[in-house]
Amino acid sequence: MSEITKAILQAREAGGCAFVPYIMAGDGGLDRLKEDLLFLQEAGATAVELGIPFSDPAADGPVIQEAGLRALSAGTTLKAVIEEVKAIREEVHIPIIFMTYLNPVLSYGMAGFANDCQEAGIAGVIVPDVPFEESEPLEDCLRMNGIDLIRLIPLSAPEDRIRKIVEAAEGFIYAVTVDGITGVRDSFGGTTDGRLERLKAIADIPVLAGFGISAPEHVRDFGRTADGVIVGSAIVDALHRGEREPIKELIGSAKDIAVPAE
Amino acid sequence: MVNTTEQKAYQAPDKTGRYGEYGGRFVPETLMPALLELETAYREAKEDPEFVAQLEYYLKDYVGRENPLYFAERLTENAGGAKIYLKREDLNHTGAHKINNAIGQALLAKRMGKTKIIAETGAGQHGVATATACALLDMECIVFMGKEDIRRQELNVFRMELLGASVVSVDQGSGTLKDAVNEALRYWVANVSDTHYVIGSALGPHPFPEIVRDFQRVIGAETRRQILEKEGRLPDAVVACVGGGSNSIGMFHPFVDDTEVALYGVEAAGSGIETGKHAAALTGGRPGALHGAYMYLLQDEAGQINEAHSISAGLDYPGAGPEHSHFRDTGRVTYTSVTDEQALEALKMLSRKEGILPALESSHAVHYAVELASGMSPDQIVVICLSGRGDKDVMTVRDALKGGDGNV
């Protein structure tokens, strides 16, 4: 079983749901990466999604766009992030998942990227601008190195498409709860109209909900149906302001979830 | 013997939307169902005589096609070589080739039951064309435009608003065309069920490069017919400017199998390729993935996209569409570049010699074509795609000339 799947199932068995914070590598300088990762590990994160900055992040909202620009101005590159992760990997025990747009990977070289990720102990990779139809070359490179290609599935996707992607999915399924970009949303209109339940019923690996999840009540709501949540903009924003308490509170909210009986 | 029928030896894209190794669909999952739906709808529309007739009707009676292929006698004399013809896309309604594609896509979107249209624009020509098509077909229209371009093309912003469109200013990044595309994509992901994104150049995820090419193909198809009527033979060279590459791909495509016709794509060299301040992706870039397609891009070593630089807002984009990228590698089209200064000179020359004020974009093609023609013999023929008129650029040109020697 994949390292990531295992970590998620453990969080579930402990009576909560998985909590995967997203942070932008190099926001505030790459030398604070270790401190941030250790803080998130200490606070109880199940795994960490580590964003690689890109000049044209078309799937991201303003908070992550700005964090990416700050990271780029600080000189952050994919190569430097991989090297930094490699250097600190022994102290970080939770799985690290890269989230990067395709072009920095193409520039790096796909095979070399997969190989160096493996050496740095990266457990999974998410590439938001690589849909199912374009995923084969990347999946092959990553698989050869034992790294999961994490796939996104929008809840709005037609059922036959969901089934096709689920079949290829590894690690966990990243359920995109809203059609749109990343970023804080006040409300989800109360419900996902049973679509998260539908996805969960089809999936044979854990399902994590993401996009727009920013408050403890969102975590508790989604944590009942999904196996966990991914929180990005709210974490990036809090880290940027140097506020750690709201992050602890968010992660804490995933620790005790009243899961409905099967 | 003159070949009067179009052959179809060249076939692209393939089923995965590839032109050689370029193209594809590098978009978030959320957009994939919309792209698949668009592809199906487009294939059906293309085969539907009613849709084809409707498009032809608007192109003829509304856009004003066919437009002339004009023999530029004084420009020819001035160049002192091959005969120069101008394909007058500047005479279209709204003043550029962009309307060909905007009407086509808006009709397609309406047929698909979409109620809202979004578009990105650089120079504003595509935004104006899309706003125009939306007014005509009674559809809601939102145009994303970089903050810097809004400043450079104030008049076009006002035109779009007069036509009933909302113009959204994009502050992110360099505030130019690429940032407007990012923002349009973000909007589309969030509103994909009722919205169609009218991409204005031969760019983006499959099937957009194919759709835009097909709707712009009328430029080359008319040119081919017209030159055969006037000269009884095909031209020796065809020249068009390349930003994302829509007027050029539309002009070139009907000539691709005519190997005796040399094709030249002219990119914007800005202050000069060697200065790094340019927009010539095919001349000075390398392949990568942006805005849904694998294509030539201006980027740094780490794969971050560089800002493009050109006096012409319509060429100020860091990539060139997938089919151009393919033609660059196969050598079917020769890509070259022309600086801001050379384009300005060409703009003045065409205005003085022919009484035609070309768009700054098209002026790049004019400069290269005149240079090319001057080295050719009088029995040879060069055709320039005059993609748009220069009224929108008058302020920019005035500022640029004032900053120079001050002489017009």
Side-chain angles (χ1 to χ4, degrees), chain B residues 98 121-128 145 149 152-154 156-157 160 177 312-316 361 392-393:
Chain B
K98 293 290 185 187
T121 197
Q125 290 306 103
H126 174 57
V128 167
M145 191 167 181
D149 288 339
R152 287 195 279 194
Q153 302 288 344
E154 217 179 321
N156 269 343
V157 175
M160 287 184 267
L177 185 53
S312 127
L315 301 182
D316 210 349
E361 290 78 9
K392 68 181 173 64
D393 294 317

Side-chain angles (χ1 to χ4, degrees), chain B residues 151-217:
Chain B
R151 188 188 63 76
R152 287 195 279 194
Q153 302 288 344
E154 217 179 321
L155 198 60
N156 269 343
V157 175
F158 186 59
R159 279 171 82 191
M160 287 184 267
E161 287 168 351
L162 273 178
L163 290 160
S166 332
V167 179
V168 176
S169 171
V170 178
D171 301 351
Q172 285 90 343
S174 50
T176 60
L177 185 53
K178 89 176 167 90
D179 309 288
V181 177
N182 288 335
E183 209 52 29
L185 283 170
R186 291 182 186 118
Y187 184 92
W188 198 30
V189 174
N191 297 275
V192 68
S193 59
D194 65 349
T195 303
H196 175 71
Y197 179 12
V198 177
I199 291 185
S201 200
L203 293 168
H206 177 65
F208 280 108
E210 181 186 356
I211 292 177
V212 175
R213 176 197 72 195
D214 289 356
F215 286 140
Q216 293 295 0
R217 212 176 166 280

Side-chain angles (χ1 to χ4, degrees), chain A residues 11-193:
Chain A
R12 218 39 173 157
E13 279 156 21
C17 76
F19 188 101
V20 179
Y22 168 102
I23 62 173
M24 175 62 77
D27 186 11
L30 207 47
D31 35 356
R32 71 175 270 187
L33 182 64
K34 179 178 165 183
E35 186 193 327
D36 286 346
L37 287 175
L38 291 177
F39 159 68
L40 293 168
Q41 173 170 278
E42 185 68 20
T46 312
V48 173
E49 194 187 331
L50 189 56
I52 306 297
F54 181 50
S55 53
D56 294 79
D60 284 305
V63 171
I64 293 179
Q65 284 175 42
E66 280 156 27
L69 289 179
R70 289 193 297 267
L72 287 176
S73 324
T76 311
T77 62
L78 176 55
K79 199 174 168 58
V81 176
I82 292 177
E83 272 160 22
E84 182 66 15
V85 170
K86 202 165 156 181
I88 61 178
R89 194 66 186 95
E90 295 215 330
E91 289 167 75
V92 182
H93 312 297
I94 54 177
I96 299 177
I97 301 157
F98 272 158
M99 142 93 184
T100 174
Y101 286 85
L102 180 61
N103 203 50
V105 175
L106 292 176
S107 226
Y108 197 101
M110 216 178 254
F113 168 74
N115 180 67
D116 293 355
C117 280
Q118 191 268 330
E119 283 183 10
I122 295 300
V125 172
I126 302 173
V127 188
D129 53 349
V130 172
F132 179 74
E133 281 79 354
E134 301 287 354
S135 63
E136 205 181 301
L138 184 60
E139 184 183 28
D140 289 350
C141 289
L142 292 174
R143 183 174 289 152
M144 273 170 33
N145 289 281
I147 299 167
D148 294 336
L149 176 62
I150 307 296
R151 296 178 185 270
L152 295 107
I153 302 185
L155 294 182
S156 61
E159 186 160 327
D160 55 342
R161 191 166 177 86
I162 293 182
R163 290 188 183 279
K164 214 159 57 173
I165 303 174
V166 162
E167 205 170 307
E170 304 161 319
F172 67 89
I173 287 157
Y174 191 141
V176 181
T177 53
V178 287
D179 280 359
I181 53 177
T182 61
V184 172
R185 287 171 182 80
D186 288 340
S187 121
F188 283 89
T191 169
T192 63
D193 294 325

Side-chain angles (χ1 to χ4, degrees), chain B residues 128-349:
Chain B
V128 167
T130 306
T132 299
C134 288
L136 174 70
L137 300 172
D138 191 22
M139 298 175 89
E140 190 185 340
C141 181
I142 305 172
V143 179
F144 295 88
M145 191 167 181
K147 194 171 72 173
E148 172 63 15
D149 288 339
I150 287 185
R151 188 188 63 76
R152 287 195 279 194
Q153 302 288 344
E154 217 179 321
L155 198 60
N156 269 343
V157 175
F158 186 59
R159 279 171 82 191
M160 287 184 267
E161 287 168 351
L162 273 178
L163 290 160
S166 332
V167 179
V168 176
S169 171
V170 178
D171 301 351
Q172 285 90 343
S174 50
T176 60
L177 185 53
K178 89 176 167 90
D179 309 288
V181 177
N182 288 335
E183 209 52 29
L185 283 170
R186 291 182 186 118
Y187 184 92
W188 198 30
V189 174
N191 297 275
V192 68
S193 59
D194 65 349
T195 303
H196 175 71
Y197 179 12
V198 177
I199 291 185
S201 200
L203 293 168
H206 177 65
F208 280 108
E210 181 186 356
I211 292 177
V212 175
R213 176 197 72 195
D214 289 356
F215 286 140
Q216 293 295 0
R217 212 176 166 280
V218 65
I219 304 173
E222 282 180 10
T223 301
R224 200 172 183 285
R225 196 165 61 233
Q226 289 167 319
I227 198 77
L228 286 175
E229 271 166 27
K230 286 174 196 286
E231 296 278 353
R233 69 180 190 88
L234 294 174
D236 298 280
V238 174
V239 184
C241 64
V242 181
S246 72
N247 87 84
S248 43
I249 207 70
M251 179 56 128
F252 294 162
H253 195 257
F255 291 102
V256 168
D257 288 332
D258 302 313
T259 47
E260 70 271 34
V261 181
L263 305 174
Y264 296 93
V266 186
E267 296 191 290
S271 313
I273 302 285
E274 70 288 351
T275 65
K277 291 198 170 302
H278 62 87
L282 295 162
T283 321
R286 62 185 174 87
L290 182 70
H291 297 150
Y294 186 64
M295 60 183 172
Y296 275 86
L297 290 175
L298 300 178
Q299 54 183 320
D300 70 12
E301 279 178 12
Q304 305 296 339
I305 308 305
N306 288 337
E307 285 177 26
H309 295 272
S310 170
I311 190 170
S312 127
L315 301 182
D316 210 349
Y317 181 79
E323 197 160 20
H324 284 294
S325 298
H326 176 55
F327 286 151
R328 177 200 186 276
D329 284 7
T330 64
R332 178 63 189 97
V333 179
T334 304
Y335 293 93
T336 177
S337 64
V338 157
T339 64
D340 289 351
E341 205 177 320
Q342 291 169 325
L344 281 167
E345 282 305 315
L347 179 140
K348 282 196 282 180
M349 187 200 293

